[in-house]
Amino acid sequence: MDIGIDAIGLFTPHWYVDLVDLAHARGDEPAKYTIGIGQDQMAVTPATQDVVTLAANAANQLPADSLDERLGMVIVGSESGVDESKAAAISVVKLLHLNPWVRAFDIKEACYGGTAGLLAARDFVAAHPDKTALVIASDIARYGLASGGEVTQGAGAVALVVSAQPKLLVLHDDALAYTEDIPDFFRPTGMTVPVVDGHYSTSAYLDFVGKVFARHQSQYHDQYGDYAALLFHLPFTKMGKKALAALAPAMNDADHQRLTERLAAASQLSRRIGNIYTGSLYLSLVSLICEDKTIRSGDRIGLFSYGSGAVGEFFSGTLQPDFPNRIDQAGIQQMLSARVRLNVLEYEQVFTAQLPLGDADATVPVEESTARFSVGGRANHARWYRDQQQEKGV
Ligand code: HMG
């Protein structure tokens, strides 16, 4: 039985910073950011968005027919949750008025949490083919003002519906994971930004790429010629180029050229949104579909997921005939073109004006935005959320 991704929804906040502006403010060469790191813009998260609202807003972008009474499981993969105990997935069920007869929970393993959710959902549907699952990878990447990782921040969520006979991507039974305890990036409880050794994390990622691809090829006998595109977790788009370059010596010229061109298409949205941690690999799948008009139904796509700490996993899928229609491509373009560019001072003010962690009552000022769901504030220790549609009586 074929199981895989039936539809995808994407959401990113309505503010961004241009990285040439940021480079000037930090005294760096703009080319370091736009070429050396490979980022043009980064999403800035208003106080009205957290991982719950990002997740609900992403699921709200799914095609209307993709969530129905077959839904049996809701998973949020995230490393920027707002509660130490309660799952963001439960709030998503409430906000979207989903069928409550579901299993709802969160998964955490750095940027790998979305993939863990997707593959758990695949197994769930294999055991219950009449059911579907909603997996949402939702994160806010924050490294701190003027920090080494600042230029690789971002925010957004990707919602994936997993079903039997999926209309977008059939997942193959070839997932191969590697886990090793390393201190490349982690965020101890109570800290708002991670402890990260940027250069070490980059070489650890490449080490995992080498190990996982070599073993995948020896176990599943796949070759680079089998793939129309290879997608990678993109903490910044140069990382994908580095990963492909690490594999290139074993490729012929035609494979190398095809995979390079497709990786460039798959990197376009990340260049504009930044790192969205758990969702970054799936953002590159959305980008490939939106930006590359040469991929076809039947094409095999390879996906490499990496979460610091660290887990690396490679798996593949085959595009289905209706794949271009299972993402609201026009809606994504509209969402991006409606974004407002902040100057660096405005971005710095927004960065420090988030709803503080803790449990004191607070209200977040309402603001104009494209988001249906937003954070209202905190009352009696719990966050509460606004639904623009409900408030307007839609
Ligand atoms: P840095 O030290 O500021 O930058 O930090 P750099 O000096 O290494 O320069 C970056 C690149 O720009 C270099 O190219 C330079 O040569 C080039 P490379 O050698 O890498 O090919 N460069 C220029 N190019 C053109 N014109 C110029 C110029 N100047 C320099 N004028 C770093 C960069 C990525 C380390 C930093 O941003 C960082 O710490 N980021 C956060 C950590 C990160 O993203 N790690 C990635 C792997 S780990 C991962 O993916 C997991 C993660 O998503 C978290 C999770 O799993 O939850 C992070």
Side-chain angles (χ1 to χ4, degrees):
M1 181 187 26
D2 287 343
I3 301 169
I5 301 173
D6 187 61
I8 305 184
L10 168 69
F11 182 78
T12 188
H14 62 283
W15 285 338
Y16 74 95
V17 164
D18 189 283
L19 294 182
V20 173
D21 294 347
L22 188 67
H24 287 140
R26 300 290 177 250
D28 284 324
E29 284 275 330
K32 174 179 172 184
Y33 293 10
T34 57
I35 299 168
I37 290 174
Q39 295 300 121
D40 296 321
Q41 301 168 348
M42 78 186 183
V44 175
T45 314
T48 49
Q49 291 296 313
D50 65 11
V51 288
V52 169
T53 57
L54 292 174
N57 284 316
N60 190 50
Q61 301 302 322
L62 286 162
D65 66 346
S66 51
L67 291 177
D68 56 26
E69 71 290 344
R70 292 174 301 158
L71 187 69
M73 191 150 91
V74 178
I75 303 175
V76 171
S78 181
E79 57 175 299
S80 16
V82 288
D83 194 289
E84 301 281 17
S85 172
K86 183 174 174 178
I90 295 176
S91 306
V92 168
V93 170
K94 178 182 174 187
L95 287 173
L96 292 164
H97 306 289
L98 297 176
N99 157 26
W101 295 101
V102 292
R103 192 179 285 161
F105 58 96
D106 292 358
I107 293 186
K108 179 188 68 180
E109 183 353 64
C111 298
Y112 172 73
T115 299
L118 174 64
L119 298 176
R122 182 184 182 279
D123 293 348
F124 171 74
V125 174
H128 309 281
D130 56 331
K131 300 270 186 207
T132 62
L134 171 64
V135 179
I136 315 177
S138 180
D139 269 307
I140 299 170
R142 281 168 72 88
Y143 289 91
L145 299 177
S147 65
E150 182 181 36
V151 61
T152 66
Q153 295 177 151
V158 182
L160 310 165
V161 175
V162 179
S163 73
Q165 313 306 341
K167 297 193 189 88
L168 198 156
L169 188 80
V170 166
L171 293 173
H172 301 309
D173 194 10
D174 65 346
L176 180 83
Y178 175 73
T179 295
E180 189 181 329
D181 186 350
I182 56 165
D184 62 331
F185 170 113
F186 52 98
R187 184 163 65 86
T189 308
M191 286 185 66
T192 54
V193 293
V195 178
V196 56
D197 182 337
H199 291 112
Y200 170 53
S201 69
T202 305
S203 62
Y205 178 121
L206 293 175
D207 178 48
F208 275 54
V209 166
K211 284 191 172 105
V212 172
F213 273 79
R215 193 170 171 109
H216 197 276
Q217 287 177 348
S218 76
Q219 197 164 316
Y220 293 103
H221 309 291
D222 51 333
Q223 296 166 350
Y224 294 113
D226 299 335
Y227 293 98
L230 289 180
L231 307 181
F232 300 92
H233 164 56
L234 295 178
F236 51 95
T237 67
K238 180 72 161 293
M239 192 71 238
K241 282 190 177 177
K242 284 175 189 278
L244 195 63
L247 301 172
M251 289 175 197
N252 66 36
D253 289 348
D255 290 344
H256 186 240
Q257 191 181 335
R258 179 184 67 260
L259 296 174
T260 301
E261 285 167 6
R262 295 252 163 84
L263 179 61
S267 300
Q268 291 311 308
L269 292 180
S270 296
R271 291 190 72 94
R272 299 178 66 185
I273 292 174
N275 192 357
I276 59 169
Y277 287 160
T278 45
S280 292
L281 174 62
Y282 304 98
L283 181 61
S284 71
L285 175 59
V286 173
S287 186
L288 178 74
I289 292 173
C290 293
E291 303 289 333
D292 185 314
K293 297 305 168 204
T294 64
I295 47 161
R296 296 282 173 262
S297 166
D299 279 349
R300 184 173 174 188
I301 312 289
L303 298 99
F304 177 77
S305 183
Y306 178 82
S308 285
V311 180
E313 182 147 11
F314 182 72
F315 59 101
S316 71
T318 296
L319 288 171
Q320 299 303 293
D322 204 24
F323 78 90
N325 305 317
R326 303 305 291 165
I327 300 178
D328 180 4
Q329 299 192 43
I332 290 171
Q333 292 316 326
Q334 262 169 25
M335 176 175 66
L336 290 174
S337 54
R339 291 194 307 174
V340 176
R341 177 176 172 169
L342 300 186
N343 64 38
V344 174
L345 188 62
E346 290 167 328
Y347 143 67
E348 290 177 346
Q349 284 165 350
V350 170
F351 191 89
T352 45
Q354 303 295 307
L355 179 63
L357 292 175
D359 70 346
D361 280 9
T363 306
V364 175
V366 181
E367 77 203 353
E368 272 300 302
S369 88
T370 48
R372 173 176 168 189
F373 300 105
S374 56
V375 179
R378 189 167 38 223
N380 299 323
H381 314 285
R383 281 182 181 230
W384 59 276
Y385 296 99
R386 295 180 189 280
D387 176 348
Q388 207 177 87
Q389 258 181 33
Q390 218 165 45
E391 286 177 9
K392 286 185 180 156
V394 182

